[in-house]
Amino acid sequence: MSTASPAAGPAPVAAQGKPGWWPLTVISSAHLMAVLDTTILFVALPSIQAGLHMTDTTRQWVVTAYTLALAGLLLLGGRLADRFGARRTLLVGVIGFAAASAVGGASVDAGMLIAARAVQGAFGALLTSSTRSLLITVYREEGQRAKVIGFFTATLTVGMALGLILGGVLTSGLGWRWCLYVNVALSMVAILGARRVLPSLPGRKEVKIDVVSAVFASAGMVALVYGLGE
């Protein structure tokens, strides 16, 4: 006889039967936030350049710093998710992403904004890797997994297009800083949803984390892009 109590609220992942669509909604929302920021500042770049007195070469790093950190640290983010548990690293990634966005929105010079964007990318890599790990863990049934992976993948294309539109609307209506501040509001939704419907998974202590290799790989890409840009 089952001892589960109906008053305990919905379980994050059903032990029996298929999980619903709420976990997918939360996972995709967190992933969408990271994808949005690859394009959301494109339209705002002229305003940012004028407001912070950037050169043309410096301006490109507002986008490049983010994308390099995001791409360069994805592997490390995946290892951290395996080591400490995907929901925990997702929450850390979302909180760090929101904090870096707030700092970037309050930037007073080019260096502060570029540094904030690099930190955004680092936490974006952590939350992106965590969402992929959670997706595979939550949806185990092959038929359902194929559907949710298709939906999840579609957020990549939608997110990039939506970033351009949202960036233009926010820049023209409220100013370029709100292209970054908007992440603070989005992160609140992701945090509340993750705590409510996603499973708290144990980490695997046997997973080794090669921080040195990740740092050198990212530094190499930064050096390459910097040289080509100059």
Side-chain angles (χ1 to χ4, degrees):
M1 182 175 65
S2 173
T3 59
S5 172
V13 178
Q16 299 177 353
K18 297 181 181 180
W21 292 98
W22 281 114
L24 175 61
T25 302
V26 173
I27 292 169
S28 297
S29 297
H31 182 252
L32 181 63
M33 186 168 63
V35 174
L36 277 174
D37 271 66
T38 61
T39 56
I40 196 169
L41 289 182
F42 279 0
V43 178
L45 283 177
S47 298
I48 295 172
Q49 182 176 10
L52 298 182
H53 309 292
M54 292 181 174
T55 64
D56 289 338
T57 303
T58 303
R59 183 181 74 171
Q60 75 171 356
W61 282 95
V62 175
V63 175
T64 304
Y66 177 81
T67 53
L68 277 179
L70 180 66
L73 295 174
L74 275 175
L75 181 59
L76 177 60
R79 302 293 285 180
L80 289 171
D82 291 339
R83 177 67 175 80
F84 298 105
R87 193 184 78 161
R88 180 180 300 173
T89 53
L90 175 66
L91 289 170
V92 171
V94 171
I95 292 169
F97 194 92
S101 298
V103 172
S107 295
V108 296
D109 56 38
M112 184 176 176
L113 177 58
I114 292 170
R117 289 285 285 168
V119 174
Q120 259 191 307
F123 281 108
L126 183 60
L127 74 88
T128 297
S129 299
S130 302
T131 57
R132 292 172 180 173
S133 178
L134 281 164
L135 194 72
I136 295 172
T137 303
V138 172
Y139 296 96
R140 297 180 180 274
E141 197 274 327
E142 289 298 328
Q144 190 180 33
R145 179 182 288 182
K147 293 178 182 178
V148 300
I149 288 178
F151 180 86
F152 180 79
T153 304
T155 63
L156 178 64
T157 303
V158 172
M160 289 184 174
L162 184 60
L164 291 171
I165 297 170
L166 185 60
V169 171
L170 290 173
T171 301
S172 61
L174 298 172
W176 68 265
R177 296 180 188 275
W178 282 93
C179 295
L180 295 165
Y181 289 146
V182 70
N183 290 319
V184 178
L186 294 175
S187 69
M188 295 298 104
V189 177
I191 291 169
L192 292 175
R195 293 179 63 87
R196 177 63 178 163
V197 303
L198 297 183
S200 180
L201 304 172
R204 292 188 289 154
K205 294 183 178 180
E206 71 275 11
V207 174
K208 296 181 179 180
I209 301 172
D210 192 353
V211 177
V212 175
S213 295
V215 171
F216 275 104
S218 298
M221 286 193 291
V222 170
L224 177 62
V225 173
Y226 178 78
L228 292 172
E230 290 297 314

